[in-house]
Amino acid sequence: GSIVAIPSIVLAVRNNLWSILPIDLVALGWVAALWRLRSLSYRPKVIHFIAIVFTVAIGLMVNVGYVAQIFLIAPSVFAVVLLGMRPALVAVAASGFALLVLGFTGLARPELAGFPKDGAAPTILAMANFVFLGTLIIVCCGTLLRKLTTSPADLDVFAASLEGGKKALH
């Protein structure tokens, strides 16, 4: 985090983007606190980590613009890899809801070619596309992880079958 946050802080200060500074500092402090809290178990640490990424994504969307929307996919991917499918679906839903709130409040409004700049349609369409693609990504990741966990057992069955066939041929 510091490898990315420190240059970000330097660039923000150099370019008078003072609103980025608190985002990076809060994220760095939060990560440092998590690192120091050895008593926290795995799940709460992961949830905090995902919350950090979500917070940074929202902060960047508000301060940099809608281009930072890509950061909102990270909490879902981390959730599916580290916690499972249900938490990942919750993360996608939370990100979709955040996109709606940011769009409707005007804090981060998408600009889509052919749509009016201040209407509900661009916000709803951007959110729907985000949720659709986010869901596809986490379902693919979840399926891959599930297959990877069962593949050693499948290989054992296959090896036993080959061994049985070898004995039968012998």
Side-chain angles (χ1 to χ4, degrees):
S2 60
I3 291 171
V4 174
I6 291 172
S8 175
I9 290 169
V10 171
L11 285 172
V13 169
R14 188 176 292 163
N15 294 307
N16 292 324
L17 296 171
W18 298 104
S19 57
I20 301 293
L21 196 62
I23 298 166
D24 288 336
L25 291 175
V26 166
L28 277 175
W30 201 346
V31 167
L34 273 178
W35 184 55
R36 301 280 297 154
L37 286 172
R38 306 254 186 238
S39 62
L40 272 182
S41 63
Y42 174 79
R43 191 170 182 84
K45 278 187 180 180
V46 169
I47 291 169
H48 274 276
F49 175 69
I50 291 169
I52 292 167
V53 175
F54 185 79
T55 302
V56 168
I58 298 298
L60 288 175
M61 283 195 63
V62 168
N63 291 290
V64 175
Y66 217 78
V67 70
Q69 175 191 23
I70 190 67
F71 283 89
L72 275 178
I73 199 63
S76 318
V77 173
F78 288 137
V80 75
V81 170
L82 301 173
L83 297 174
M85 188 63 75
R86 278 200 183 123
L89 290 171
V90 169
V92 167
S95 293
F97 181 72
L99 289 172
L100 286 177
V101 169
L102 292 171
F104 287 142
T105 60
L107 291 171
R109 198 176 300 257
E111 293 183 22
L112 302 177
F115 286 90
K117 289 189 182 210
D118 58 344
T123 296
I124 293 169
L125 186 59
M127 180 278 303
N129 278 295
F130 177 89
V131 170
F132 172 69
L133 289 173
T135 302
L136 284 178
I137 290 169
I138 64 168
V139 167
C140 288
C141 288
T143 302
L144 175 64
L145 290 171
R146 193 172 48 255
K147 295 288 185 186
L148 286 173
T149 59
T150 60
S151 65
D154 293 344
L155 287 175
D156 289 342
V157 169
F158 184 66
S161 171
L162 286 175
E163 189 64 34
K166 180 181 163 189
K167 286 180 182 176
L169 284 173
H170 197 339

